[in-house]
Amino acid sequence: MKLSHFQFNLPKELLAEYPAENRDESRLMVIDRKKQTIEHKMFKDVIDYFDDGDVLILNNTKVFPARLYGNKEKTGARIEVFLLRELNAEQRLWDVLVDPARKIRIGNKLYFGDDDSLVAEVIDNTTSRGRTLRFLYDGSYEEFRNKLTELGETPIPKYISRDVTPEDAERYQTIYAKEEGAVAAPTAGLHFSKHLLKRLEIKGIKFAEVTLHVGLGTFNPVEVEDLSKHKMDSEELKITQEACDIVNNAKANKKRICTVGTTSMRAVESSVSSQNTLNPYDGWTNKFVFPPHDFSIPTCMITNFHTPKSTLLMMVSAFCGHDLMKRAYEEAIKEQYKFYSYGDAMLII
């Protein structure tokens, strides 16, 4: 498969600026690979496709308010700082992206907050936009992290042209988010409401939680025609023995195993044993799933509608089958489904 196979025209108005009013009332396209059929439902109808003993694999990562705005010393220029990952807690070193980057050099200081209570010094250049910052703050580590949370903004994607609202802090987060560390939400999980999860639980569906801290690398454009040459950014991944037991037990009993989102899919496909069972894992993954790919664990997946030429679309193509995926996307555009992070959902069975 080549990059050009994943190009399509996506009308700008189909990029969702806001989430559906109720989490579980977004639209759901159901694709049956065996029957080659496409159905149109509401997300809460997803319960009809699962039975007692089936498993949903959820990514329980939690988004932190990663976008900060500061001012450069002397000039006062407004600078956006996007926190990517903490490098050293003790020294308060962070890997960040800055914008506009051309103005930010090693040795520059940035001031945050109306009272300049948080200061950062640039100590390294990592990429064209990447920098390493050392934060200077009078207070304990816990107080420092609270200050970052207080000054930070929910990192909704850049394509959303409106300002961040207080509602985003709640809606750009799954209701089962626990482990803080993501700079982007695992968006397929945004469709689950407390009520729907409870109904699934009552029906006997099991939940296996994994943690994959979504980084901005997920959204990096693919710039090589030969997909095998594309390098994914590494993301932190944790799969517990408990999650493995739930999944492997369901697999042994021939139950349906559904990954909720491309991040859950990447998590499980990163740690498969030679017997095609799920192994515990604690480390980093740069797994890139693209066609052709033999999936070892999941029998179905829930995902959102993705943008052209994205690695997420390539994973969906590998799981769904390329021609059926293309037909589904043509139908989604015709039927005005909403795309991307706050958009509608797809269930592939």
Side-chain angles (χ1 to χ4, degrees):
M1 299 293 284
K2 298 273 195 288
L3 178 62
S4 46
H5 291 139
F6 297 92
Q7 174 58 6
F8 65 92
N9 290 324
L10 176 59
K12 203 165 182 296
E13 65 272 16
L14 296 187
L15 285 167
E17 289 268 320
Y18 291 92
E21 191 175 342
N22 297 312
R23 284 182 186 266
D24 57 13
E25 290 184 350
S26 57
R27 295 165 76 191
L28 177 70
M29 179 185 281
V30 182
I31 300 171
D32 188 315
R33 293 176 293 172
K34 204 186 228 168
K35 297 180 187 163
Q36 296 279 298
T37 55
I38 296 171
E39 291 181 287
H40 304 287
K41 303 280 186 178
M42 282 186 91
F43 191 79
K44 57 188 173 189
D45 299 329
V46 84
I47 193 167
D48 299 336
Y49 297 87
F50 296 97
D51 287 312
D52 186 22
D54 290 344
V55 170
L56 293 179
I57 301 175
L58 309 174
N59 181 6
N60 66 11
T61 187
K62 188 174 185 181
V63 180
F64 66 95
R67 193 174 274 131
L68 301 171
Y69 292 96
N71 298 97
K72 192 178 162 190
E73 65 177 338
K74 296 185 182 134
T75 66
R78 181 172 149 98
I79 306 292
E80 179 188 308
V81 172
F82 196 100
L83 302 171
L84 292 177
R85 62 177 72 98
E86 186 175 52
L87 299 174
N88 185 308
E90 203 180 321
Q91 295 184 37
R92 296 179 189 173
L93 295 182
W94 281 76
D95 205 0
V96 306
L97 295 177
V98 292
D99 192 25
R102 60 194 158 73
K103 295 184 174 178
I104 303 301
R105 298 191 173 89
I106 293 172
N108 288 161
K109 281 202 172 78
L110 300 170
Y111 292 86
F112 302 90
D114 295 338
D115 56 356
D116 295 343
S117 56
L118 183 64
V119 182
E121 184 181 5
V122 182
I123 61 168
D124 198 10
N125 289 345
T126 50
T127 60
S128 57
R129 285 181 57 214
R131 301 289 184 272
T132 302
L133 296 189
R134 177 186 286 121
F135 283 98
L136 313 168
Y137 181 73
D138 291 332
S140 67
Y141 177 73
E142 193 182 348
E143 288 166 333
F144 162 64
R145 288 304 298 250
N146 289 341
K147 184 53 105 174
L148 285 185
T149 302
E150 176 198 320
L151 295 173
E153 229 179 50
T154 302
I156 59 172
K158 278 283 193 187
Y159 78 85
I160 293 179
S161 50
R162 60 176 174 81
D163 287 341
V164 175
T165 66
E167 182 194 37
D168 289 313
E170 182 210 341
R171 293 300 303 272
Y172 195 63
Q173 193 83 271
T174 63
I175 57 163
Y176 47 79
K178 283 182 196 149
E179 305 292 336
E180 192 172 82
V183 298
T187 53
L190 298 180
H191 302 286
F192 286 91
S193 63
K194 284 196 173 92
H195 181 62
L196 179 56
L197 279 183
K198 196 73 202 161
R199 285 175 62 216
L200 286 159
E201 196 185 318
I202 290 165
K203 199 173 177 184
I205 286 95
K206 306 260 189 304
F207 304 107
E209 294 187 12
V210 298
T211 306
L212 182 99
H213 290 318
V214 191
L216 282 186
T218 298
F219 309 109
N220 278 354
V222 179
E223 288 168 340
V224 284
E225 185 64 12
D226 178 355
L227 300 185
S228 65
K229 302 265 192 308
H230 177 69
K231 294 279 183 286
M232 291 289 279
D233 277 7
S234 289
E235 294 172 322
E236 205 172 345
L237 169 62
K238 186 165 190 180
I239 302 173
T240 62
Q241 185 62 56
E242 183 189 1
C244 294
D245 292 344
I246 294 168
V247 169
N248 294 334
N249 188 37
K251 190 174 167 74
N253 290 308
K254 303 211 165 4
K255 296 293 184 183
R256 189 165 262 184
I257 299 170
C258 181
T259 48
V260 176
T262 55
T263 62
S264 297
M265 179 70 87
R266 188 143 88 259
V268 297
E269 288 298 306
S270 295
S271 191
V272 178
S273 74
S274 53
Q275 283 82 41
N276 284 342
T277 55
L278 186 60
N279 276 343
Y281 190 89
D282 192 351
W284 295 76
T285 178
N286 61 355
K287 182 83 173 170
F288 176 28
V289 179
F290 62 96
H293 181 85
D294 287 330
F295 291 85
S296 312
I297 305 285
T299 60
C300 55
M301 84 179 286
I302 293 169
T303 187
N304 279 22
F305 289 89
H306 306 295
T307 49
K309 294 184 173 178
S310 61
T311 58
L312 313 175
L313 183 64
M314 291 161 192
M315 182 189 287
V316 172
S317 160
F319 191 76
C320 185
H322 193 70
D323 292 342
L324 183 56
M325 183 273 291
K326 280 188 77 168
R327 188 155 67 86
Y329 268 65
E330 281 162 17
E331 178 110 349
I333 290 168
K334 192 176 103 208
E335 294 294 329
Q336 304 274 295
Y337 273 74
K338 289 291 188 186
F339 277 65
Y340 219 31
S341 301
Y342 273 151
D344 294 314
M346 173 189 280
L347 169 65
I348 306 168
I349 56 176

